[in-house]
Amino acid sequence: MDIKRFMVATVMSTVVLVGFEYFMPHPDHKTATQTAASAGPDTPAAASPIPAAGGEAQPATETRDDPRLQIDAGRVSGSLDLRGARLDDLVLKNYHETVQPGSPLVRILDPQHDPQSNLVEVGWLNVAGGKVAVPDASTVWTADQPTLTQDHPVTLSWDNGQGQTFQIVVAIDQNYMFSVTQKVRNQSGEAVSLYPYSRVDRGYTPTETGGYLVHEGPISVIDGRLDESSYKSLRNGAVPPANLSWNKPGTGGWAGITDKYWLTAVIPQQDSQVTGSYGYVPVPGHDGVYQVGFTARVPEVIAAGGEGVTESHVFAGAKEVPLLEKYESSLHIPSFWKAVDFGWFAFLTHPIFTVLDWLNTLLGNFGLALMAFTLVVKGLFFPLATKQFRSMGKMRQLQPKIKALRERYKDDQMALNQQMIALYKQEGVNPASGCLPMLLQIPVFWCLYKVLYVTIEMRHAPFFGWIHDLSAADPTNIFTLFGLIPWDPTHISTFFQLGLWPIAFGLTMFAQQKINPAPAADPAQQKMFQLMPILFTFFMARQPSGLVIYYCWNNLLTMAQQSLIQRRVNAETKAPVVIPPTKKNPKKNK
């Protein structure tokens, strides 16, 4: 196969896949004013998760001395602020910030007074013209016990002094799912109508770590449709006075704010009529507040002497795909696994993750799972690889004839093309047949790259030796003589980060070039191919070490596979032609 065509096909295919992920536009969002035009007369005072107090953000009324309900469950710990009934303090017991011993636990929720606040609120809104005193950010709730545990739910209570008693019953399972039951007991002499709501508030703009590969920010699934928005779109699209940037009516679903590995989401009752919305409340002199959540579309009417009950859930934890799928099945949450950004090729990326996760469980090491998966892929593509190397061999044999044709028809491109087509037809060679197997494998390799980059399963997963985190770059560095020189050259430039595994990858790439040298006679082209291992070595040095190990192992397997196939092809071409013996004529022998 012509190496030039091979490289062009590879690069173009990669550009198509990456470009499709990056440039494909997200669905357009309708502005709040468009939806507000169609709102009915029973629209709540703030038909969104935005505070009901007009367009200004509510001041931070809580203090560090506010009464708190402690939380101590299987995989999380923290507290709930009884002023405002905010879930705003939560750490994950099984995840640390770094792999260093004693590293702090990952904190997923922070109070409003924190510079990077992230919290969950539930509550009620009045219908237009309603005068019921509903709890707000300054309301101090009473808990029936001091600690929320997996086995002991807690009931928060508040009496508004007008005949209505509000309650929030909070429970938590052994993982990251809170169940929230909102109750209103109406002891007044007339019926009241209220809209329950739930929302996620984020009071800062985080640094997005995933780039175009991973969505970070507002996310929702309503009526089966996934929506992923950016922080910028919320800021630019917020329309006063409600400060909505997008809303969508629907039945059930879920919505929240996602990071690369973590998710905070609110989940209404799946048969309830709700309006999901995104908003941004500006705060002078500070980052504004991003708000994502749900408001009931139909008010809860609580008759005199009656009780209104609304159930919902809150997820705050790690985006572990098996756990998300379990919740999707048990709680009937639509497409909850899509909180992990498997991309537009999720139909392929998701199964690849499933296989990798199973191999990781089987082998007990994610690095070994990667190697085993590579063997599986190589086995599946072995027939295609055989065809590819056969085509490469035939094309290599035709190079002298192709060179002669180019010399003869160097001034007549049309005649050259006609003669080369005739030569290919005469020899039974299809120049594209060598590229096709590679083109079919590129989506698999891209999806594997996506899986390794976005899933939490590889985060802080150790391999062997010096690799303690497959999601981080190789920590060794040749520019420090692998630790002998006590300095960090990466402060000057990330170019000066080159570990052992990236060097091994570059050597395997160089060895591949030697085994299968480029047939091109152009010296400039040859020099370019010779530089590619060096360029890719420095590029891969900053990639997660799990990816580098995968590609290094893949190169070794490819060379072994090529050697095996080449021996078979050579044996077939050098096999002597055996002429079967002619049968003796019995009549002539007589």
Side-chain angles (χ1 to χ4, degrees):
M1 181 180 64
D2 191 329
I3 294 295
K4 183 177 180 180
R5 289 191 179 92
F6 167 75
M7 293 306 302
V8 170
T10 302
V11 172
M12 290 301 295
S13 300
T14 304
V15 168
V16 169
L17 289 172
V18 175
F20 188 77
E21 285 276 335
Y22 184 72
F23 292 108
M24 179 61 68
H26 294 299
D28 291 334
H29 292 159
K30 297 180 180 180
T31 63
T33 54
Q34 290 176 306
T35 305
S38 61
D42 288 333
T43 303
S48 70
I50 308 303
E56 297 296 327
Q58 294 183 1
T61 57
E62 82 279 7
T63 69
R64 298 179 189 274
D65 297 326
D66 282 342
R68 286 190 167 270
L69 168 69
Q70 298 302 311
I71 301 173
D72 187 8
R75 302 180 68 184
V76 299
S77 64
S79 63
L80 183 149
D81 191 351
L82 292 177
R83 183 183 296 275
R86 290 182 169 123
L87 179 59
D88 63 355
D89 173 28
L90 202 67
V91 296
L92 309 183
K93 294 181 179 180
N94 301 118
Y95 292 98
H96 292 263
E97 294 287 351
T98 69
V99 295
Q100 299 300 324
S103 172
L105 294 173
V106 169
R107 175 172 291 278
I108 194 170
L109 297 180
D110 295 274
Q112 191 180 51
H113 56 64
D114 192 271
Q116 296 187 344
S117 66
N118 194 45
L119 53 92
V120 179
E121 287 185 300
V122 298
W124 294 262
L125 298 173
N126 273 301
V127 296
K131 299 184 184 296
V132 177
V134 295
D136 58 20
S138 61
T139 300
V140 178
W141 295 74
T142 301
D144 64 348
Q145 54 185 324
T147 304
L148 170 65
T149 66
Q150 178 182 337
D151 300 321
H152 296 90
V154 174
T155 300
L156 310 180
S157 302
W158 178 73
D159 192 328
N160 69 354
Q162 297 179 349
Q164 291 84 33
T165 301
F166 295 83
Q167 289 187 335
I168 303 175
V169 182
V170 185
I172 185 173
D173 66 3
Q174 69 272 25
N175 294 299
Y176 311 118
M177 188 65 77
F178 294 82
S179 64
V180 180
T181 304
Q182 297 173 244
K183 298 181 180 181
V184 180
R185 292 177 180 172
N186 182 17
Q187 300 300 323
S188 68
E190 59 182 9
V192 297
S193 298
L194 300 172
Y195 290 87
Y197 75 87
S198 59
R199 69 168 180 248
V200 178
D201 292 0
R202 174 163 288 186
Y204 71 104
T205 304
T207 301
E208 298 178 42
T209 60
Y212 67 88
L213 280 173
V214 184
H215 169 69
E216 297 176 80
I219 184 173
S220 66
V221 171
I222 302 175
D223 286 343
R225 185 179 182 87
L226 173 68
D227 182 275
E228 297 173 327
S229 295
S230 66
Y231 294 105
K232 182 178 180 181
S233 69
L234 265 64
R235 293 194 303 270
N236 295 341
V239 179
N243 291 306
L244 284 175
S245 60
W246 173 85
N247 59 8
K248 177 181 174 60
T251 303
W254 59 274
I257 298 178
T258 182
D259 300 298
K260 183 177 180 180
Y261 295 125
W262 327 110
L263 171 69
T264 306
V266 289
I267 307 156
Q269 193 168 315
Q270 292 306 305
D271 59 355
S272 60
Q273 299 297 308
V274 292
T275 297
S277 57
Y278 302 160
Y280 174 77
V281 182
V283 178
H286 301 278
D287 279 346
V289 180
Y290 301 94
Q291 299 185 326
V292 178
F294 291 97
T295 304
R297 289 166 56 192
V298 179
E300 183 82 19
V301 179
I302 304 102
E307 181 180 71
V309 179
T310 303
E311 296 181 353
S312 62
H313 289 84
V314 174
F315 179 92
K319 297 193 296 186
E320 302 166 1
V321 179
L323 182 60
L324 297 178
E325 292 175 332
K326 177 182 176 182
Y327 286 135
E328 180 176 339
S329 174
S330 61
L331 300 178
H332 309 290
I333 307 172
S335 302
F336 201 37
W337 62 270
K338 289 185 179 179
V340 178
D341 186 8
F342 283 125
W344 293 90
F345 297 96
F347 64 90
L348 184 59
T349 312
H350 194 186
I352 287 177
F353 166 79
T354 301
V355 175
L356 270 175
D357 189 55
W358 176 77
L359 289 172
N360 182 34
T361 303
L362 183 67
L363 300 175
N365 185 287
F366 206 94
L368 294 179
L370 282 172
M371 292 184 166
F373 179 81
T374 312
L375 287 172
V376 173
V377 173
K378 286 295 181 184
L380 292 175
F381 283 104
F382 188 81
L384 290 176
T386 302
K387 184 177 181 180
Q388 176 185 354
F389 289 128
R390 286 180 185 273
S391 177
M392 292 171 62
K394 290 181 180 180
M395 289 296 296
R396 196 177 294 112
Q397 293 173 1
L398 291 180
Q399 286 304 311
K401 295 182 180 180
I402 293 174
K403 183 178 180 181
L405 287 176
R406 286 175 175 170
E407 289 293 330
R408 183 181 304 176
Y409 299 100
K410 60 183 178 181
D411 297 326
D412 190 347
Q413 186 65 37
M414 183 177 294
L416 174 61
N417 292 337
Q418 291 175 349
Q419 291 297 323
M420 290 182 68
I421 291 173
L423 176 63
Y424 293 147
K425 186 175 181 180
Q426 177 184 347
E427 299 293 337
V429 175
N430 183 359
S433 63
C435 290
L436 181 60
M438 178 58 67
L439 293 177
L440 293 177
Q441 294 180 60
I442 286 175
V444 176
F445 295 145
W446 167 253
C447 290
L448 179 61
Y449 179 87
K450 180 87 170 178
V451 165
L452 300 181
Y453 198 83
V454 305
T455 55
I456 196 173
E457 281 70 16
M458 197 171 71
R459 180 185 184 270
H460 293 180
F463 188 51
F464 297 107
W466 63 93
I467 301 297
H468 304 296
D469 183 2
L470 288 169
S471 68
D474 189 328
T476 59
N477 195 345
I478 193 174
F479 294 108
T480 64
L481 296 182
F482 305 108
L484 294 179
I485 302 178
W487 73 301
D488 185 7
T490 59
H491 288 312
I492 303 173
S493 172
T494 55
F495 176 84
F496 296 105
Q497 174 65 49
L498 187 59
L500 281 173
W501 272 107
I503 292 173
F505 166 78
L507 293 175
T508 59
M509 193 173 179
F510 179 77
Q512 278 187 301
Q513 285 190 348
K514 291 300 182 182
I515 293 176
N516 186 31
D522 185 1
Q525 195 177 69
Q526 289 181 348
K527 289 181 180 179
M528 183 187 71
F529 289 133
Q530 291 170 359
L531 285 174
M532 285 185 64
I534 299 175
L535 297 176
F536 272 87
T537 296
F538 281 94
F539 171 75
M540 296 300 290
R542 294 184 293 275
Q543 302 301 313
S545 55
L547 293 172
V548 182
I549 292 170
Y550 161 74
Y551 283 117
C552 186
W553 175 241
N554 182 70
N555 287 348
L556 292 173
L557 291 179
T558 300
M559 288 188 288
Q561 188 180 54
Q562 183 176 352
S563 177
L564 174 63
I565 295 174
Q566 194 61 49
R567 283 200 299 268
R568 289 186 178 183
V569 172
N570 293 339
E572 292 174 1
T573 56
K574 295 179 180 180
V577 178
V578 179
I579 303 176
T582 57
K583 295 182 180 180
K584 296 181 179 180
N585 192 330
K587 293 183 179 180
K588 290 184 178 181
N589 292 336
K590 289 182 179 179

